Amino acid sequence: MSNNTKVVKFGGSSLADAGQFRKVASIVLSEPERRFVVASAPGKRFSGDIKVTDMLYGCYEQAFRGENFDKAFDAIEERFNSIIRELELDISLQKEFDNIKDAFAHRAGRDYAASRGEYLNSMILAAFLGFEFIDPAPYIRFDETGVFDLDTTRALLGERLANCEKAVIPGFYGSMPNDTIKTFSRGGSDITGSIVANAVDAVIYENWTDVSGFLIANPTVVENPQPIKTITYRELRELAYMGAGVLHEDAIFPVRKAGIPINIRNTNKPEDDGTFIVAETAQTSEYTITGIAGKKGLSVIQIEKDMMNSEIGFGKNVLRALEKNGISFEHMPSGIDTMSVVVNSEALIGKEKAVLDEINFRCHPDKLEIENNLALIAVVGRGMRKARGTAGRLFSALAHARINVKMIDQGSSELNIIIGVEEEDFEAATRAIYDMFVLPKM
Ligand code: ASP
């Protein structure tokens, strides 16, 4: 396969109506290297609209309960028919609709139902572009336990696409060993795009969405944040874990493994470069930090015990107490005789007493308490490794903004510094950090 092949994936808002389809076609057809197109189901056309995937879940729910689902199904048909009409395409999906409706009545499965949005939308897009339509079900495979099988898929899909010049492939689903349809988790068309890029050894995986890539900070917190031009997979992982959205987390693995960069692009602003996600980059980052992300809703279990540092197995016992209660921890900064374990408050609700009792029983601490309303902020950047004084600048920015830092955790990779603040300080702290590192260009 020629190695200049590009795989392009378009999200639901990029394919929500005929107008968006036209933008997509002009993007795809402007470069002959854009040979394989992965499509989502039609998303929201305006705020308050319903995504076709959600309409399908709702409709199938009615069918499953044995209720009449005609009206809900008609509404889905109309979403697709209006696109076909407005694009003046000479095709009819009536036969497909009839088959799908029949399958709903026979309870063909929730995953099958949800997958039909991508399936039908890709048929329309293939007709509009004049590309082949390829159903991924026989090629994108899951194992008996429902885990995606990259090796089998790469072999099957690679072979199928080697014999194809240009195609549209529905995102979001594949099939189980018994050939029933299985979907990825929500937003999973991103994963399909990554899998296709892996299978054809693409030069790049372009992921087209409705924003021009990642921003240095959350735009609901910082006004007009700068875009991130280049980010490494590792930096992205740190930021995504802290809540920075845009790309499905599982979409990274197949391309990362093959060393294929991802370019996040904006269908509504194709002139923007977007963000490049790469394995390694020689390009120094524009700022010392690459991005800031954070999350609220955390609690800290504070543990103190004299001579804790010399007690073998102390940490293990604390974590055992959490494990026994089915709680995973987010961070665990420790001092000489103190240890803090940061956990999701939601996971702790109703289990506080059981957890404290268990720690008391196993560890006999001198002091043990839970503090709530903590927020974590991750300051991430490959540039921090080389820059001196990053921590100094960070903490002076926070001090100037009169923010009390409750916790500090720096990973040994020097790729990130995580700080804990009161939830009510979260926004001000994020802005202070942004202003310090990004506003005056350093
Ligand atoms: N249509 C699916 C969803 O809404 C998958 C996707 O768009 O990636 O989650």
Side-chain angles (χ1 to χ4, degrees), residues 18 22 81-91 128:
R22 288 201 179 90
N81 281 335
S82 71
I83 297 174
I84 295 174
R85 250 192 337 264
E86 282 169 44
L87 293 178
E88 296 175 12
L89 280 174
D90 191 17
I91 57 164
F128 190 48

Side-chain angles (χ1 to χ4, degrees), residues 372-391:
N372 293 314
N373 304 326
L374 181 85
L376 289 183
I377 300 174
V379 185
V380 176
R382 59 189 181 279
M384 296 187 337
R385 212 170 303 168
K386 287 181 218 109
R388 281 181 208 178
T390 308

Side-chain angles (χ1 to χ4, degrees), residues 9 12 40-41 51 53 118 172 186-190:
K9 178 258 169 180
S40 276
K51 288 171 132 198
T53 307
E118 299 14 56
F172 195 33
R186 294 301 303 265
S189 297
D190 282 344

Side-chain angles (χ1 to χ4, degrees), residues 214-217 226-232 235-236 239 275-276 281 283-293 378-384 415 434 437-438:
F214 296 103
L215 300 169
I216 294 182
Q226 294 283 316
I228 299 177
K229 288 188 180 152
T230 308
I231 186 169
T232 64
E235 289 173 317
L236 178 63
L239 290 171
T275 300
F276 282 90
T281 174
Q283 193 184 336
T284 49
S285 44
E286 219 174 333
Y287 308 100
T288 309
I289 63 167
T290 302
I292 312 165
V379 185
V380 176
R382 59 189 181 279
M384 296 187 337
L415 192 68
Y434 181 88
F437 288 98
V438 184

Side-chain angles (χ1 to χ4, degrees), residues 348 356 380:
L348 198 60
L356 294 184
V380 176

Side-chain angles (χ1 to χ4, degrees), residues 246-267:
V246 176
L247 186 75
H248 195 300
E249 247 192 283
D250 296 343
I252 294 176
F253 171 68
V255 275
R256 183 175 185 172
K257 202 167 173 215
I260 301 165
I262 308 177
N263 185 197
I264 309 282
R265 300 285 293 267
N266 188 346
T267 303

Side-chain angles (χ1 to χ4, degrees), residues 56-94:
L56 287 161
Y57 278 124
C59 179
Y60 184 71
E61 205 53 42
Q62 288 182 318
F64 189 78
R65 287 196 300 257
E67 296 166 14
N68 182 314
F69 61 97
D70 288 349
K71 223 175 127 208
F73 201 86
D74 284 351
I76 295 165
E77 284 188 13
E78 181 46 27
R79 282 294 299 267
F80 291 107
N81 281 335
S82 71
I83 297 174
I84 295 174
R85 250 192 337 264
E86 282 169 44
L87 293 178
E88 296 175 12
L89 280 174
D90 191 17
I91 57 164
S92 163
L93 293 179
Q94 199 50 52

